[in-house]
Amino acid sequence: MADSSFDIVSKVDRQEVDNALNQASKEISQRYDFKGVGASIEWSGERIEIRANAEERVNAVLDIFQTKLIKRGISLKALDSGEPQASGKDFKLFSTIKEGISTDDAKKVAKLIRDEGPKGVKAQVQGDELRVSSKSRDALQEVQQLVKGADFDFALQFVNYR
């Protein structure tokens, strides 16, 4: 019998992020407390740019965006936000969406699986994902629970379960 396997990845659905951004933008344009403060949220290349006339307003817009991401099922661990910076009369904040597991992070997950996972489970790094394989499907499910229980500072999903 062939080994069963699955991949651990860190991917974000760009369309869902785009939808959350559009919802946040619409809410900002309609809310009374954002009238006349120049608050906006939009894509700026690969980054998300948030701007307003006060630091508190920038953080409030970020909070609205984070709420929309959560409602769309996107982990906030995938959102990397900087600090608000003064830019003329406005304040700006740039956020990026992190995708892919770095080699160091993949090694951390593989080490966790090796040290605390069931016997006979193999984990190997393949580019920006981690392939986990075993003869036993039950062992793979144990590994999924183990990885979900560990609190990593990056978002993880399980795909290609075979």
Side-chain angles (χ1 to χ4, degrees), residues 124-136:
Q124 59 194 67
V125 179
Q126 295 180 334
D128 60 350
E129 57 187 43
L130 186 71
R131 168 74 45 96
V132 180
S133 58
S134 171
K135 293 200 181 306
S136 163

Side-chain angles (χ1 to χ4, degrees), residues 105-115 123-125 130 152:
D105 292 339
K107 286 179 182 175
K108 286 181 196 173
V109 176
K111 183 173 177 10
L112 173 78
I113 292 169
R114 253 193 332 274
D115 294 348
Q124 59 194 67
V125 179
L130 186 71
F152 292 109

Side-chain angles (χ1 to χ4, degrees), residues 44-146:
S44 173
E46 285 295 308
R47 303 187 302 179
I48 297 166
E49 181 181 340
I50 301 172
R51 57 173 61 207
N53 66 357
E55 190 171 344
E56 299 82 35
R57 295 278 187 236
V58 171
N59 288 327
V61 172
L62 178 63
D63 187 47
I64 290 170
F65 181 55
Q66 288 174 338
T67 304
K68 301 298 180 192
L69 286 174
I70 291 170
K71 284 184 180 175
R72 296 204 152 268
I74 297 172
S75 173
L76 292 183
K77 292 178 180 179
L79 182 70
D80 186 22
S81 297
E83 291 295 316
Q85 302 164 340
S87 172
K89 293 181 180 177
D90 288 345
F91 280 84
K92 286 183 181 179
L93 184 141
F94 290 103
S95 297
T96 56
I97 303 294
K98 295 187 288 188
E99 288 192 295
I101 302 175
S102 71
T103 308
D104 293 340
D105 292 339
K107 286 179 182 175
K108 286 181 196 173
V109 176
K111 183 173 177 10
L112 173 78
I113 292 169
R114 253 193 332 274
D115 294 348
E116 299 180 28
K119 298 284 184 236
V121 175
K122 296 185 283 284
Q124 59 194 67
V125 179
Q126 295 180 334
D128 60 350
E129 57 187 43
L130 186 71
R131 168 74 45 96
V132 180
S133 58
S134 171
K135 293 200 181 306
S136 163
R137 286 181 173 244
D138 292 339
L140 291 180
Q141 289 177 341
E142 283 181 47
V143 168
Q144 283 185 349
Q145 294 304 317
L146 175 70

